[in-house]
């Protein structure tokens, strides 16, 4: 059996990982980076009542993802919890890397902003945090570091802090402030604390200040998602999964075709192509909405359709082709805040449609041992 | 004291003319400066060529004013030049009449070789013949800002968020007005009242007690990213839909349509018309299907048919008219200015103020064609040399820095039209929450969540009407950032049908270039 996964977003990466763990031959092809770098990588569940699997199945899938990430070196916290946005809202999430602040029961906080980093949490957002947690945070803005200029993006900040000079700049300023903040209050820093050495730096600062230290996520590009993406792709490469760059134009008679003429055979194809945002669904200038790979029309936007449903139009199973992630019809993580659950459920469903049921594997020898954990 | 109703091109043009002639004036504006049609137009400084066959009076006025404005308002004009492109041989008869008209009116033009046309315009066009004309680009908000600054410098007043609610007359003569402002209702004394309320002029004339009947029509325009053309491009044929493209700062705007409406508020752009307009653009610019549309918007033309009765808005002259209400059944001291174009605002003001001077019995000659409009303050639109203040870039598309935002006054919408933040390809996806944060830091009374929500709605209206092609992806990204990253409270995108038919009352300060 040969498989091709189209798309390098979270759905494609997960599908390719599961196939690899089950000893299937799989190629991963994508036109661009998926959405991983656009958000912090926390996986939301939304309202469990609305989800299509039973509690035990969910438990297995979530645990699987957290162990998979663990095997890449990404430690996580699993379970319902709140995380903080850079504009002060507390947001429900379910699987969260431990570098990011995330707790079922938010208490008093020490929040730091960096001058010159536009998405740093600002003073006007403190009242929202106080209203939600019942505690007024201690807030400070650190002055711009030497050498800063207006071209510094979040990625540049992170590489600065990855270096000794940047880490020292940060530690010195924090040590001066530390005595003014009550003991035990966790410190929250903008999510630019390194791209590579994040865990190490956060632990080091934590030891210095004798308090827990976390990041709060910024908007985009997002270092949290980039770290996961980089580790995930490296994990796949190490295990021999070919990551191919290219744009798929057609899947016909069990062959994948790319726009540059390359083509190969595939018995099963997973379309993890991301829907409208990912490019797997095109809204043409004439208002026709179509699947990018099969060119099947999903609908036509007219004065009668609403926009709400258009963002829920999508693909399902179609012979040896199955859709997963945001490409799958019926899901709307913007409305339902269940992006992570959508990834897990649809990848499971698509693999199953194509003949691989990852939930029944344990009976045949134990999922986790099979998966190599 | 003269009270002018409306701070669009016409109202501010009149106020500028008045202060230059030494007459005291206060302009009252119900929304922001430019929140009417003057902030929602196509951006073309006409050379008159468009009207050379169909509307010679408007054509002559446009050509005259084109030359004047290039002289006195150079800071707000991008003198790109323009082309008239004949796409089909079948338009020959029109072309011949057009050339005759151009020669009669003395509007300069010259034939352009087809071989050099795409280099000159920056885009390959479906052209059978092409002619160069002295069209240019008028930066509407920029010119309104210049007018307002210069009016204030000479002692005139511009009151925003102040609505005319009533007119006091005594013995058949205007004595004052009743206005509703941020501090409630109050009376203001006035010797003369000038109605420059654009498409709302009929409502204002009703308050005067002599209702005019306007022939309102709205036009739809599409904004494309990346200024894909370098000059104005017009289609050489009878004026119709979708036959002009204007480069404007970093974008290019395709327009327009001409559809009769009853209400002066700009309607939501209907998606079907957006699709149709885009397809029409292909006749002249075949590659336009691959351009990236950013948003759609509409504006309402305050056309005045006078006594002529026609149901086709394109048949109504683009000429303007100054009406002295006492010559009809209205009071003395009340004037209305209706019709016209942005291009002819100065001429309209000149005619109006001439009449007002005669009424006041003290004639002084008009000077607006000679006195240049200069920016009196450090100019936010020019590159700023390094100076203290927040150098962080908050809007990446338009390179807007913190100190530029912090220097703004007034509403958030003012910040937007003054700095251009959120006007680029991402339409505020990355910067709206940042700008609202700075806005709330500067205005501690304001509520972050409701300011942001209102702002998102305003931006989204134009975006969703044009959520086609890459712009649909942009909108999907914006939704993910809003609801998943920032945790904003959920808004179901409205039905296209609802938004197409229901003009929203609070939507006046919709975008415009
Ligand atoms: C701004 C933002 C914030 C988010 N925040 C959260 C959050 O807080 N919590 C959460 O749980 N989730 C979050 N998400 C995730 C979101 O809910 C979705 O789950 C996720 O974006 C969907 O990923 P995907 O793998 O289905 O598609 P994508 O990540 O979009 O990947 C699509 C892939 O398909 C490829 N592709 C498409 N067409 C072709 C083709 N023809 N040929 C080759 N390749 C092709 C693309 O190049 C890309 O690699 C966020 C997403 C975004 C964008
Ligand atoms: C789609 C379209 C494209 C166009 N393109 C071009 C072009 O390319 N070139 C060109 O030269 N012309 C163009 N025009 C024409 C031009 O834009 C208008 O003629 C011009 O802007 C009208 O300006 P105005 O000041 O008369 O009206 P407005 O700009 O509408 O000003 C009237 C003001 O009065 C205010 N007001 C109304 N009622 C009250 C009240 N009771 N109290 C207080 N204030 C009140 C309103 O809020 C408004 O701000 C276009 C028009 C349209 C519709």
């Amino acid at each position: 059996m040969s498989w091709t996964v189209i798309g390098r977003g979270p759905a494609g990466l997960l599908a390719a990982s599961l196939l690899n763990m089950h000893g299937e031959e799989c190629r991963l092809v994508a036109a661009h980076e998926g959405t991983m770098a656009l958000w912090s990588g926390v996986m939301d569940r939304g309202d469990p009542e609305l989800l299509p699997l039973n509690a035990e199945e969910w438990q297995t899938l979530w645990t699987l993802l957290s162990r998979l990430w663990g095997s890449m070196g990404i430690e996580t916290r699993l379970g319902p919890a709140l995380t903080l946005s850079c504009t002060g809202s507390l947001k429900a999430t379910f699987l969260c890397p431990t570098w990011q602040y995330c707790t079922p029961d938010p208490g008093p906080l020490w929040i730091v902003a960096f001058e010159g980093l536009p998405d740093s949490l600002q003073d006007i957002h403190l009242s929202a945090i106080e209203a939600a947690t019942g505690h007024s945070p201690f807030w400070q803005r650190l002055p711009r570091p030497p050498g800063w200029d207006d071209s510094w993006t979040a990625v540049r900040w992170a590489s600065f802090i990855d270096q000794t000079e940047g880490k020292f700049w940060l530690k010195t300023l924090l040590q001066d402030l530390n005595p003014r903040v009550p003991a035990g209050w966790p410190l929250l820093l903008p999510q630019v604390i390194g791209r590579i050495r994040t865990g190490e730096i956060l632990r080091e600062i934590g030891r210095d200040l004798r308090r827990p230290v976390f990041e709060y996520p910024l908007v985009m590009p997002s270092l949290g998602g980039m770290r996961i993406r980089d580790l995930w792709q490296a994990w796949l490469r190490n295990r021999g999964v070919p990551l191919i760059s290219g744009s798929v134009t057609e899947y016909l008679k069990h062959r994948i075709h790319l726009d540059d003429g390359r083509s190969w055979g595939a018995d099963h194809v997973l379309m993890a192509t991301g829907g409208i945002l990912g490019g797997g669904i095109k809204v043409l200038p004439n208002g026709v909405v179509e699947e990018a790979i099969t060119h099947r029309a999903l609908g036509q936007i007219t004065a009668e359709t609403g926009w709400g449903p258009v963002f829920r139009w999508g693909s399902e199973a179609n012979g040896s082709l199955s859709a997963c992630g945001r490409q799958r019809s019926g899901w709307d993580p913007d409305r339902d805040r269940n992006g992570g659950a959508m990834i897990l459920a649809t990848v499971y469903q698509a693999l199953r449609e194509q003949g691989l049921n990852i939930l029944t594997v344990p009976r045949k020898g134990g999922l986790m041992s099979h998966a190599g954990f | 004291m003269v009270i002018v109703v409306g701070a669009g091109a016409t109202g501010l043009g009149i106020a500028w003319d008045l202060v230059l002639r030494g007459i005291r004036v206060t302009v009252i504006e119900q929304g922001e400066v430019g929140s009417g049609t003057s902030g929602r137009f196509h951006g073309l400084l006409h050379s008159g060529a468009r009207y050379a066959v169909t509307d010679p009076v408007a054509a002559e006025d446009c050509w005259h004013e084109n030359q004047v404005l290039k002289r006195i308002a150079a800071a707000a004009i991008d003198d790109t030049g323009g082309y008239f492109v004949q796409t089909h041989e079948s338009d020959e008869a029109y072309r011949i009449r057009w050339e005759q008209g151009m020669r009669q009116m003395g509007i300069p033009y010259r034939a352009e070789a087809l071989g050099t046309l795409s280099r000159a315009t920056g885009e390959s066009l479906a052209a059978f013949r092409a002619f160069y004309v002295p069209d240019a680009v008028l930066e509407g908000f920029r010119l309104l800002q210049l007018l307002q600054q210069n009016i204030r410098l000479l002692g005139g007043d511009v009151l925003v968020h102040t609505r005319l609610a009533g007119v006091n007359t005594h013995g058949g003569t205007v004595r004052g007005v009743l206005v509703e402002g941020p501090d409630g209702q109050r009376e203001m004394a006035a010797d003369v009242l000038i109605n420059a309320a654009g498409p709302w002029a009929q409502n204002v004339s009703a308050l005067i007690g002599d209702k005019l009947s306007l022939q309102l029509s709205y036009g739809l325009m599409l904004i494309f990213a990346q200024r894909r053309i370098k000059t104005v491009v017009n289609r050489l044929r009878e004026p119709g839909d979708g036959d002009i493209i204007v480069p404007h700062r970093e974008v290019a705007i395709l327009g327009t349509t001409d559809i009769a409406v009853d209400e002066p508020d700009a309607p939501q752009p209907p998606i079907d018309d957006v699709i149709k307009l885009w397809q029409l653009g292909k006749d002249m610019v075949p590659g336009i299907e691959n351009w990236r549309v950013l948003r759609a918007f509409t504006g309402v033309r305050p056309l005045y048919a006078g006594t002529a009765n026609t149901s086709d808005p394109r048949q109504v002259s683009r000429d303007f008219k100054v009406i002295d209400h006492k010559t009809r059944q209205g009071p003395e001291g009340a004037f209305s200015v209706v019709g016209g174009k942005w291009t002819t605002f100065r001429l309209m003001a000149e005619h109006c103020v001439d009449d007002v001077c005669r009424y006041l019995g003290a004639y002084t000659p008009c000077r607006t064609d000679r006195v240049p409009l200069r920016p009196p303050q450090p100019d936010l639109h020019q590159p700023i040399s390094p100076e203290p203040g927040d150098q962080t870039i908050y809007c990446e598309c338009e390179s807007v820095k913190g100190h530029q935002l912090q220097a703004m006054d007034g509403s958030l919408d003012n910040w937007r039209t003054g700095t251009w933040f959120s006007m680029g390809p991402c339409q505020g996806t990355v910067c709206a929450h940042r700008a609202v944060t700075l806005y709330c830091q500067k205005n501690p009374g304001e509520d972050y969540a409701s300011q942001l929500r209102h702002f998102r709605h305003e931006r989204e209206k134009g975006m969703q009407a044009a959520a086609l092609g890459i712009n649909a992806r942009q909108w999907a990204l914006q939704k993910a950032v809003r609801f998943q990253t920032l945790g904003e409270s959920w808004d179901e995108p409205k039905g296209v049908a609802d938004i197409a038919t229901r003009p929203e009352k609070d939507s006046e300060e919709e975008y415009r270039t």
Side-chain angles (χ1 to χ4, degrees):
Chain A
M1 285 298 194
S2 72
W3 298 71
T4 292
V5 176
I6 311 171
R8 222 188 296 158
L13 292 170
L14 178 63
S17 306
L18 292 171
L19 285 165
N20 177 270
M21 283 154 58
H22 286 84
E24 298 286 339
E25 185 207 326
C26 152
R27 298 177 198 221
L28 182 60
V29 56
H32 309 283
E33 295 297 343
T35 48
M36 283 302 319
L38 302 180
W39 96 101
S40 68
V42 299
M43 292 286 182
D44 300 348
R45 181 181 62 162
D47 181 353
E49 298 283 309
L50 300 175
L51 297 175
L53 304 172
N54 70 37
E56 199 186 331
E57 290 165 331
W58 274 116
Q59 184 60 33
T60 314
L61 290 176
W62 282 112
T63 310
L64 178 63
L65 181 58
S66 98
R67 295 207 182 157
L68 175 63
W69 281 7
S71 73
M72 301 167 189
I74 306 161
E75 281 176 52
T76 53
R77 183 192 181 288
L78 180 62
L82 297 167
T83 181
L84 183 70
S85 84
C86 64
T87 50
S89 55
L90 286 159
K91 198 193 100 123
T93 190
F94 202 71
L95 180 69
C96 181
T98 50
W99 56 59
Q100 183 163 323
Y101 177 70
C102 169
T103 170
D105 179 25
L109 299 170
W110 172 16
I111 300 173
V112 162
F114 295 168
E115 194 186 329
L117 178 65
D119 281 325
S120 293
L121 197 147
Q122 296 296 313
D123 49 1
I124 66 143
H125 301 303
L126 299 179
S127 55
I129 300 175
E130 187 177 348
T133 64
H135 302 276
S136 169
F138 184 83
W139 179 84
Q140 276 294 328
R141 179 167 39 213
L142 305 188
R144 296 181 302 221
W148 179 93
D149 66 53
D150 64 16
S151 71
W152 276 37
T153 59
V155 177
R156 177 70 183 81
W157 273 95
S159 69
F160 169 67
I161 291 174
D162 258 336
Q163 293 155 24
T164 317
E165 184 204 352
K167 190 175 71 179
F168 185 74
W169 167 81
L170 180 60
K171 278 172 61 171
T172 316
L173 291 172
L174 292 173
Q175 270 157 355
D176 286 348
L177 293 167
N178 195 43
R180 293 165 52 191
V181 187
W185 288 26
L187 166 63
L188 271 58
L189 298 168
Q191 192 166 66
V192 292
I193 309 305
R195 177 157 175 186
I196 302 156
R197 297 167 51 200
T198 307
E200 196 185 306
I201 299 170
L202 289 174
R203 274 192 299 277
E204 189 179 324
I205 297 174
R207 269 197 311 275
D208 273 11
L209 308 182
R210 294 170 207 275
R211 62 176 81 241
V213 184
F214 302 101
E215 293 178 316
Y216 60 90
L218 310 179
V219 181
M220 52 178 240
S222 177
L223 266 297
M226 290 171 85
R227 292 171 198 145
I228 299 174
R229 178 198 66 189
D230 293 348
L231 291 165
W232 207 337
Q233 294 190 2
W235 186 92
L236 285 167
R237 278 200 192 89
N238 283 338
R239 296 174 60 115
V241 177
L243 268 59
I244 301 163
S245 288
S247 180
V248 178
T249 51
E250 211 162 31
Y251 175 55
L252 210 63
K253 301 196 178 118
H254 292 281
R255 283 195 82 75
I256 290 278
H257 295 271
L258 266 50
D259 64 350
D260 56 8
R262 281 179 288 169
S263 90
W264 60 82
D267 301 320
H268 300 285
V269 172
L270 295 190
M271 215 167 28
T273 42
I276 292 177
L277 177 56
I281 294 176
K282 292 217 154 32
V283 181
L284 304 181
N286 61 9
V288 172
V289 179
E290 70 166 38
E291 251 178 37
I293 289 172
T294 63
H295 307 288
R296 194 168 63 92
L298 300 171
Q300 157 89 47
I301 298 173
T302 65
E304 278 71 48
T305 58
W307 272 109
V310 175
F311 285 100
R312 297 190 271 280
W313 290 353
S315 321
E316 310 213 339
N318 179 4
S320 56
L321 186 76
S322 272
C324 56
R326 194 72 174 91
Q327 182 74 21
R328 189 90 190 183
S329 73
W331 291 83
D332 190 347
D334 301 325
R335 181 189 60 182
D336 301 329
R337 329 265 164 149
N338 57 0
M342 173 187 77
I343 298 294
L344 286 174
T346 58
V347 168
Y348 161 71
Q349 198 174 7
L351 286 171
R352 198 175 144 168
E353 283 159 1
Q354 296 302 320
L356 175 68
N357 186 340
I358 55 167
L359 291 182
T360 57
V361 171
R363 273 178 247 135
K364 291 192 248 150
L367 169 63
M368 294 313 160
S369 63
H370 185 90
F373 295 117
Chain B
M1 165 64 81
V2 177
I3 301 272
V4 176
V5 184
T10 312
L12 292 186
I14 290 168
W16 172 233
D17 196 320
L18 285 165
V19 292
L20 275 183
R21 298 197 214 196
I23 300 172
R24 286 176 54 220
V25 59
T26 296
V27 181
I28 57 173
E29 165 57 51
Q30 62 184 4
E32 300 281 347
V33 170
S35 60
T37 306
S38 303
R40 316 173 61 97
F41 77 123
H42 204 161
L44 174 56
L45 179 69
H46 283 278
S47 62
R50 182 169 174 83
Y51 304 118
V53 175
T54 54
D55 203 340
V57 180
E60 240 180 305
D61 288 349
C62 283
W63 170 229
H64 182 258
E65 290 305 298
N66 174 293
Q67 299 169 81
V68 173
L69 292 184
K70 282 178 184 168
R71 218 169 43 230
I72 63 153
I77 287 166
D78 182 5
D79 197 359
T80 59
Y83 289 90
F84 270 73
V85 176
Q86 182 184 345
T87 56
H88 294 98
E89 199 172 354
S90 55
D91 291 325
E92 271 300 273
Y94 184 82
R95 196 262 307 163
I96 291 163
R97 284 162 66 211
W98 181 80
E99 288 203 55
Q100 276 165 1
M102 293 292 278
R103 282 195 297 270
Q104 262 162 30
M105 259 153 318
I107 307 174
Y109 74 100
R110 61 176 160 73
E112 177 80 23
L114 292 184
T116 52
L117 184 63
S118 62
R119 187 149 27 94
T121 60
E123 175 73 27
S124 90
L125 305 175
F128 174 76
R129 280 178 205 276
F131 300 90
Y132 180 84
V133 300
D135 281 349
V137 180
L138 181 83
E139 297 197 355
F141 278 120
R142 185 82 186 90
L143 187 44
L144 292 174
Q145 190 188 26
L146 280 176
L147 283 164
Q148 186 183 0
Q149 288 165 338
N150 281 280
I151 291 163
R152 286 198 169 140
L153 226 54
L154 294 194
D157 227 347
V158 180
L159 307 177
V160 292
H161 296 291
T162 304
R163 225 170 69 82
L164 181 77
V167 180
N168 302 333
T169 55
H170 186 78
T173 302
V174 169
R175 284 292 153 82
V177 293
L178 184 66
V179 300
E180 282 166 7
D183 314 317
Q185 281 206 345
R186 67 182 164 116
E187 288 188 25
M188 295 170 71
D191 306 312
V192 172
L193 173 64
I194 302 175
N195 167 16
W200 292 268
Q202 64 190 25
N203 312 24
V204 170
S205 63
L207 294 176
I208 292 172
D210 176 25
K211 188 166 178 184
L212 300 169
S213 118
L214 262 61
Q215 194 136 42
L216 301 181
S217 89
Y218 84 87
L220 173 66
M221 287 151 287
L222 294 186
I223 304 179
F224 294 91
Q226 290 175 325
R227 194 182 167 100
R228 297 289 289 264
I229 50 161
K230 292 190 280 192
T231 69
V232 177
V233 178
N234 304 261
R235 197 161 158 190
L236 182 57
R237 62 156 191 200
E238 197 93 31
D241 288 348
D243 54 4
I244 306 180
I245 306 178
V246 181
H248 202 104
R249 297 180 66 132
E250 297 307 312
V251 301
I253 307 176
L254 166 70
T256 161
T257 60
D258 212 330
I259 302 165
V261 280
D262 296 330
E263 291 293 319
D265 303 271
Q268 279 290 333
I271 188 91
D272 297 10
D273 289 352
V274 169
I275 290 170
K276 243 183 279 163
L277 181 59
W278 197 348
Q279 300 297 316
L280 274 176
K282 281 201 298 196
D283 292 348
M284 193 163 65
V285 183
I288 203 165
E289 258 207 323
N290 302 320
W291 291 12
R292 172 171 178 184
V293 69
L294 290 182
R295 48 192 288 121
F297 69 101
T298 63
V300 178
R301 296 182 183 84
L303 301 183
Y304 182 65
T307 49
N309 200 358
T310 164
S311 58
D312 177 3
R314 289 237 190 260
Q315 299 303 318
V316 182
S317 170
R318 268 47 181 170
D319 191 11
F320 63 88
K321 194 142 182 70
V322 178
I323 293 157
D324 180 349
H325 287 277
K326 80 163 183 268
T327 65
R328 303 172 24 125
Q329 66 262 36
E332 267 190 46
F335 298 83
S336 285
V337 189
V338 287
K341 303 290 297 174
W342 226 123
T343 305
T344 55
F345 84 96
R346 192 210 61 84
L347 190 66
M348 294 160 71
E350 177 177 343
H351 283 227
C352 172
V353 177
D354 281 353
D355 286 3
V356 170
C357 282
R358 277 185 212 107
Y359 172 75
L360 292 173
Y363 186 81
T364 30
C366 173
R367 297 201 296 137
T368 53
D369 60 344
R370 267 158 291 155
V371 181
L373 286 156
R374 291 212 180 86
Q377 299 173 1
D379 190 345
L380 288 173
H381 289 258
Q382 299 307 316
I384 292 178
S385 54
E387 59 177 59
D390 188 353
Q391 295 295 317
T392 313
I393 295 173
Y394 286 83
C395 165
E396 284 140 29
C397 300
E398 297 288 332
S399 296
V400 182
K401 293 188 168 184
H403 67 87
Q404 287 169 286
L405 289 164
Q406 282 154 350
M408 295 308 296
D409 289 315
S411 70
L412 195 59
D413 215 56
N414 237 22
W415 288 34
R416 176 174 62 82
T417 55
T419 65
W420 224 250
F421 87 86
S422 83
M423 306 280 251
C426 98
Q427 294 283 297
T429 303
V430 175
C431 68
H433 65 283
R434 297 174 178 171
V436 176
T437 297
L438 291 184
Y439 180 77
C440 292
Q441 281 172 336
K442 183 157 178 179
N443 301 281
E446 299 287 359
D447 175 53
Y448 169 80
S450 53
Q451 283 289 332
L452 181 62
R453 196 177 169 86
H454 181 71
F455 187 81
R456 296 277 198 211
H457 282 174
E458 291 303 318
R459 300 272 72 202
E460 203 165 67
K461 276 184 214 156
M463 228 180 140
Q464 69 178 354
L468 302 165
I470 300 173
N471 205 31
R473 295 179 78 171
Q474 184 63 54
W475 193 21
L477 176 60
Q478 182 162 123
K479 277 156 49 73
V481 167
R482 286 184 64 188
F483 303 118
Q484 297 193 67
T485 303
L486 296 175
E488 293 176 27
S489 56
W490 171 250
D491 288 317
E492 177 81 359
K494 289 191 208 98
V496 178
D498 309 345
I499 59 169
T501 49
R502 187 167 41 85
E504 278 181 35
K505 281 297 170 214
D506 67 345
S507 71
E508 279 127 34
E509 46 313 4
E510 166 68 355
Y511 169 94
R512 249 303 301 146
T513 64

